[in-house]
Structure formats: C-alpha cells, structure tokens
Amino acid sequence: MSQPNDSKKSATPLEQDNTMIAVIEMGQASWLVAGIVPGLERQPLKKLGSDERALIQLLQRWRNEAVQAGRTIKRLVVAYEAGRDGFWLARWLRARDIEAYVIHPNSVAVSREHRRAKTDRLDTELLKRAFLGWLRGEAGHCSMAAIPTIEEEDARRPNRERENLVGERTRIGNRMKATLARFGIRSFKFTLRHADERLNDVRTAEAASLPANTHAELRRDLARLRVVRDQIKEIEQQRLQRIEQAAPSEKGSHAMVRLLARVIGIGVETADMLVNEILSRQLRDRKAIARYAGLTGSPDESGKRRREKGLSRAGNARVRRGMIQLAWRFLMFQKNSALAQWYRARTADGRGGARKTMIVALARKLLIALWRMVTTGEIPEGIALRPAVA
C-alpha cells in the first residue's frame, strides 16, 4: 500500500490506453517536449520557445490526434526536472487541470559510460522511461519533488537573503583586512560606527597616509558594508514583526517558530530557518526528515568490503549546516537533556574522531526530536524552555 507523500511511486493506477504523457527538457531559451500519445505509433517530439501558452497548444494538438485515432484521453500528465525555473510551471499547469510533476534530477539513473552521449533528445528519452516507470507504481525509477505554494516559497526568502548578506559582509571585511595588511595595518576596526571618519587618521607601517586610490577603495567598501548591515537589520526586524503580529492561537509556521525559539540555545534565526526549510514540510516520517537534511550515511558494501563513505549530503545543505552548528551549541545550553547525556556517554572514552562522528548522530536525533516537538507537541526529555510569551 502506498504511504502518504510517497514521492518514489505514483498512487494512481496507470491506464496507458487513455493517458497522455509528456516530459519537458527545459532550457533558458527553448523547451524540448516529448510525448507518449495513445493511438500514435510515433512518439512525438517538438521544440518550443520557453512559452507556456505554446505548450498548452501543443498538448491540445496531441490530444486531438489521439481522439482522431479513436482514443479517449481521460488523463494528461506532464513532468520536468527541477532546475532553474523552479516550480512555477507545475503550479501553472495544475491550475489548468493538468497533472504536473517535478522530478528530482539526482533520482534519474544515467549510463555509467565514461563518454556517454548527452543531448536534449536523449535526455527526454531518459525522462520518459523514468517517468513511465514512476506512473506504473514501480519504486526506484525516479522520485518527485514536493511542489510548494507561492506563499511557502516566499517564506524562505528572508532567511536565504540574510544568509547571502552575511556572506557578503564577511567577504567585504576580509577584502578590507587584506588591503590594510599590505601596508602593515592590522589594528583598524572597520566595524566601528565612525570607521570612515577614522580612516583619515590611519597610517601605514612607514608612518605615511594611505595612498589615494587605496583610501578611496576602502571608503567604498565601508559604504557597501553599511548598506549590507542595514539590510540584515531590516530583514531581522521585519521577521520579528511578522511573528509578533501573528495571533497566539494561529497554527502554522509562525507558531512553530515561536515554539522552537523557546528552546534555550535556539534563536529566532535558527528557528525560522528550520521551520521554513524542513519542519513545515509534510514529510512522511523520521527517516524522511533525516534523509531530506542529508544527515544519513552512505554505506559502501560489495562482497567482503564494508565501509562508510560519510554523510550522503543529498538533502538541504542549509539544514545540514545549521543542524551541525546547533548540535554543538545544544551541548553547551542543554547539558542536562537526555540527548546531551547520550552524546557524552558515547564520547567519554576520548577516541580520536569520535566527537565529530557522534555530533552528526546527535544532529540527526535532535532534528527528529524538534520535528516531533512542533508537529505533536512532544517536548524532548530534559529540554529547558524559556517562558512562553503571552
């Protein structure tokens, strides 16, 4: 029996005689559409501009050809690989009563030949075979990505934008440090509020003023740094306002963020990232949670060989990085929790590398515990919480 949210096989039986199937190889300038049309011996292939209206016209034309061949089309399914265009086309097609799916690219098996031929035409043939097997209900051909709503996609933007801005802030700071180090200057604090004014008093190791071009470059970097810091502050303030404006009785992502932020050691930033990236998704069970975060192992077993290649890293990199950092922080702020005691008991012997290996296991257990906390209300054993805000 198919389980809910099973992305590895279709829960709807396939009646191939009255089902029209189409796959799209999407490019920036053009789309290559391949179809399996009941009643037609040929398998049509058509190159279009990246135009959704032309796609609808093409599908309607193929449907009419099937009707002329004496077939009744009861079901129309379309699939394409996840990529640069995201999920907008799938939502657009579903709004017009067309079944649309988005395939995980990594789930489609490809030839292991060293120099295999690769063209858009061959890629559509590969997608057709994988998609047809999925529609038949055979597990292992490919897996489908969950198609988020516009609101769900938009909720992830503040956290991701802030992550990019923090990276930009670090890059600007490192560039300024390197520029100053070339003149033997290591004590200048560019993070101070009036750093641009103090820049005029900076002297090189030879007790000379900074060269004109270098001085101008640093002033521009300081201006960029101010803009980036202001934008980070604006994102954080707007997020807090949205959480505070949400009704206390409201259920959803804001309620999950408030609950997670009560855990000592978890801030609003981490809570918001976890909720919008993974915890608010309708994942099937704890195994799916760990797999989506990329915190599962990669065994390599063949004959007598038994080894572990490390983390699969096949899931959400933001969640994986955040959970590893949170696991270390969790050990400091939640020392009396059952999870922290579990970790200490397994690293007490001080073996080399044991702490790093077990911190991944702790991150996986902690993520599952937080998922249960926000979905069922089950508080992990020994977790200390901040008082609830009325």
Side-chain angles (χ1 to χ4, degrees):
M1 181 181 294
S2 177
Q3 299 183 15
N5 298 325
D6 191 351
S7 65
K8 295 187 178 297
K9 57 183 178 179
S10 175
T12 305
L14 175 63
E15 299 178 8
Q16 197 163 344
D17 289 339
N18 51 37
T19 300
M20 192 172 82
I21 302 169
V23 298
I24 310 171
E25 180 66 23
M26 301 181 69
Q28 185 171 355
S30 63
W31 297 345
L32 186 63
V33 188
I36 301 177
V37 182
L40 299 186
E41 292 185 5
R42 65 182 178 88
Q43 293 191 355
L45 189 70
K46 180 67 175 178
K47 188 172 185 178
L48 303 173
S50 52
D51 182 3
E52 63 276 13
R53 303 289 178 181
L55 174 63
I56 289 290
Q57 294 175 1
L58 177 65
L59 296 176
Q60 186 59 46
R61 193 184 79 194
W62 286 351
R63 181 195 287 268
N64 294 337
E65 291 182 17
V67 171
Q68 292 175 2
R71 301 297 178 90
T72 301
I73 302 300
K74 298 180 180 179
R75 186 184 179 194
L76 172 58
V77 290
V78 179
Y80 62 93
E81 283 185 312
R84 174 181 172 273
D85 284 88
F87 301 96
W88 72 269
L89 182 59
R91 289 193 295 263
W92 191 83
L93 290 171
R94 288 186 174 186
R96 285 150 183 81
D97 299 323
I98 297 175
E99 279 189 62
Y101 299 95
V102 180
I103 302 172
H104 277 295
N106 291 340
S107 68
V108 179
V110 298
S111 172
R112 295 190 295 176
E113 295 177 6
H114 180 59
R115 290 189 178 181
R116 68 180 182 91
K118 187 185 185 304
T119 64
D120 287 346
R121 182 184 295 268
L122 293 175
D123 286 346
T124 57
E125 293 295 328
L126 197 64
L127 283 180
K128 277 195 298 186
R129 288 195 297 271
F131 188 40
L132 191 57
W134 186 87
L135 289 171
R136 290 195 188 107
E138 302 169 5
H141 285 274
C142 63
S143 60
M144 299 298 169
I147 299 175
T149 63
I150 294 179
E151 291 75 18
E152 290 171 341
E153 282 198 295
D154 188 62
R156 300 171 189 164
R157 299 316 310 167
N159 183 270
R160 295 186 178 187
E161 182 186 3
R162 184 186 180 279
E163 182 182 15
N164 292 333
L165 289 172
V166 169
E168 181 64 20
R169 182 179 64 186
T170 303
R171 283 190 292 272
I172 293 173
N174 290 341
R175 187 168 63 242
M176 294 178 65
K177 289 179 182 179
T179 300
L180 291 170
R182 288 197 294 270
F183 297 96
I185 302 169
R186 290 180 172 83
S187 60
F188 181 73
K189 298 185 182 299
F190 54 85
T191 56
L192 295 177
R193 180 175 298 178
H194 302 292
D196 52 346
E197 298 176 4
R198 300 187 182 190
L199 192 62
N200 298 324
D201 301 328
V202 171
R203 293 295 181 267
T204 67
E206 293 87 355
S209 300
L210 287 172
N213 291 333
T214 301
H215 187 274
E217 178 186 357
L218 289 171
R219 291 184 68 87
R220 287 190 289 268
D221 279 337
L222 285 171
R224 293 190 192 98
L225 191 60
R226 282 196 301 272
V227 172
V228 169
R229 284 204 297 245
D230 290 343
Q231 290 179 346
I232 292 174
K233 186 176 180 180
E234 180 183 356
I235 291 172
E236 293 173 345
Q237 290 176 344
Q238 289 180 353
R239 179 173 50 210
L240 287 175
Q241 289 175 1
R242 286 193 297 269
I243 294 174
E244 291 172 356
Q245 291 171 0
S249 59
E250 177 186 343
K251 294 183 179 180
S253 60
H254 292 318
M256 290 182 180
V257 172
R258 283 197 295 264
L259 179 57
L260 279 186
R262 289 185 58 198
V263 177
I264 296 177
I266 299 181
V268 175
E269 178 64 33
T270 302
D272 182 72
M273 183 274 294
L274 290 176
V275 167
N276 289 308
E277 293 290 346
I278 185 169
L279 297 181
S280 61
R281 298 172 65 92
Q282 300 297 319
L283 294 175
R284 186 171 60 253
D285 52 24
R286 60 185 181 86
K287 292 182 179 180
I289 287 285
R291 188 167 53 247
Y292 181 80
L295 291 171
T296 54
S298 302
D300 183 12
E301 300 180 359
S302 178
K304 295 182 179 180
R305 181 178 63 190
R306 297 288 187 276
R307 70 188 183 102
E308 181 66 44
K309 294 189 292 185
L311 288 181
S312 64
R313 298 188 178 182
N316 191 310
R318 292 180 178 87
V319 175
R320 184 169 58 255
R321 289 194 303 268
M323 285 309 304
I324 296 295
Q325 294 171 3
L326 177 59
W328 288 113
R329 195 162 66 245
F330 186 83
L331 293 174
M332 293 189 296
F333 289 93
Q334 299 286 351
K335 295 180 180 180
N336 298 324
S337 65
L339 286 175
Q341 294 173 6
W342 174 88
Y343 174 84
R344 286 197 296 269
R346 282 157 179 78
T347 57
D349 55 2
R351 288 176 297 148
R355 296 180 72 246
K356 289 185 179 180
T357 300
M358 294 308 299
I359 201 67
V360 175
L362 176 62
R364 181 168 57 245
K365 284 180 170 290
L366 179 58
L367 178 59
I368 294 170
L370 295 177
W371 170 66
R372 287 173 175 161
M373 178 178 172
V374 298
T375 54
T376 66
E378 177 186 351
I379 305 298
E381 183 181 353
I383 292 289
L385 300 178
R386 300 183 181 94
V389 179

